[in-house]
Amino acid sequence: MQITDTAALVTGGASGLGGATAKALAAKGARVFALDLGGSIEKAETVEGVTYVEADVTDPEQVQAAVDTAAGSGVPLRTVVNCAGIGPSARILSKKGRHDLALYAKVIQINLIGTFNVLTIAAEAIAATEPLADDARGVIINTASIAAFDGQIGQVAYSSSKGGVVGLTLPAARDLSTSGIRVLTIAPGIVDTPMLATVSDEFRATLSAGIPFPKRLARPDEYAQLALSLIDHDYLNGEVVRMDGALRMAPR
Ligand SMILES: NC(=O)c1ccc[n+]([C@@H]2O[C@H](COP(=O)([O-])OP(=O)(O)OC[C@H]3O[C@@H](n4cnc5c(N)ncnc54)[C@H](O)[C@@H]3O)[C@@H](O)[C@H]2O)c1
């Protein structure tokens, strides 16, 4: 699908994978709306072609307003890339006691329900656009993680949320097939983004050493490159694509 002169909504678009994707889409001629929390938008760089819209992905009214902004921008909304997410870690049982149920619920709320909230509201807007060839109207790309498949110790909440994103990919693609909307999910390995900012250089080197090839962390622009490839390829639909340098994570 061509993205020139179309609108794109990128959640988590002020940082990391979303920030890189917003920039790459704008460089290809899309009118990009980067949805994020106010605190992240304040720290975000100014990028030509990218408009920041403040919203919480878990809030239907705020997401509706952001989608309305993108859909009403004068060019059709055809692309959504869901990157908003959090990645706290906690074990089921630890010295601090049982896993906090509220933390578990929060991770599911943002990573899974937030993704679904944006997907449904944006799908309604994309479904209202004029169809292209093959009755295609748009593409929605979600972000899972390889933790959906090989979650590590302390990732029970995160892996549950990302497993949910993997699980919704095929039925969402099937549901939205009658509207000409493709749904795909990227499952990244370890990407060097602000989410990893607290990791020491030593631990970063250990992480890199465990990756078969290339022996380094992925870069956010490599995620953006994959997102653009998936958008471009009209026959890819309902699939989860790992981007991990052949990494299969060990228990810890
Ligand atoms: N970095 C990695 O190694 C890695 C690996 C696999 C998957 N992922 C996933 O990729 C996505 C992006 O991660 P990142 O590394 O770019 O992290 P990041 O922290 O750099 O960016 C995440 C963005 O999401 C935003 N966000 C969080 N909660 C939100 C909410 N409720 N509403 C709106 N925006 C919200 C944050 O403000 C932030 O700007 C996440 O879903 C993450 O789980 C990251």
Side-chain angles (χ1 to χ4, degrees):
M1 187 185 74
Q2 293 277 347
I3 53 174
T4 316
D5 296 328
T6 67
L9 182 73
V10 182
T11 76
S15 175
L17 306 185
T21 305
K23 204 185 236 181
L25 283 164
K28 289 276 181 197
R31 198 169 298 178
V32 181
F33 295 86
L35 180 162
D36 212 311
L37 299 174
S40 296
I41 291 174
E42 274 169 28
K43 288 181 259 162
E45 58 173 316
T46 304
V47 181
E48 203 185 324
V50 177
T51 304
Y52 292 102
V53 282
E54 185 176 342
D56 186 321
V57 290
T58 66
D59 185 315
E61 282 179 17
Q62 291 181 19
V63 170
Q64 184 71 63
V67 167
D68 288 349
T69 302
S73 66
V75 287
L77 174 65
R78 298 224 182 266
T79 304
V80 174
V81 185
N82 272 310
C83 289
I86 56 168
S89 132
R91 294 182 188 208
I92 295 173
L93 299 177
S94 72
K95 285 181 191 131
K96 288 186 228 155
R98 286 198 308 267
H99 195 296
D100 180 16
L101 187 60
L103 176 65
Y104 188 89
K106 183 181 175 187
V107 176
I108 299 291
Q109 188 68 24
I110 295 174
N111 292 359
L112 177 55
I113 299 177
T115 295
F116 183 70
N117 187 36
V118 174
L119 182 148
T120 50
I121 293 170
E124 196 173 34
I126 299 173
T129 62
E130 285 299 316
L132 304 163
D134 288 337
D135 287 332
R137 287 193 173 83
V139 189
I140 298 174
I141 297 177
N142 305 310
T143 309
S145 162
I146 61 169
F149 311 104
D150 18 281
Q152 297 189 293
I153 284 174
Q155 287 194 305
V156 68
Y158 186 70
S159 293
S160 304
S161 70
K162 296 303 188 178
V165 173
V166 167
L168 69 75
T169 304
L170 181 61
R174 287 172 166 173
D175 273 7
L176 296 175
S177 59
T178 47
S179 301
I181 301 171
R182 292 183 291 123
V183 181
L184 291 149
T185 290
I186 298 175
I190 310 169
V191 194
D192 202 355
T193 70
M195 212 178 233
L196 288 188
T198 52
V199 168
S200 68
D201 285 348
E202 196 186 352
F203 188 57
R204 201 176 284 261
T206 312
L207 287 175
S208 303
I211 300 167
F213 184 78
K215 256 194 184 333
R216 60 168 174 79
L217 307 189
R219 297 187 309 264
D221 65 282
E222 291 174 315
Y223 172 96
Q225 183 191 10
L226 177 55
L228 261 60
S229 306
L230 299 184
I231 294 163
D232 190 44
H233 201 301
D234 293 330
Y235 207 75
L236 275 176
N237 193 12
E239 186 54 72
V240 178
V241 183
R242 291 180 73 125
M243 187 197 80
D244 60 9
L247 172 66
R248 298 295 178 270
M249 289 197 294
R252 68 177 86 217

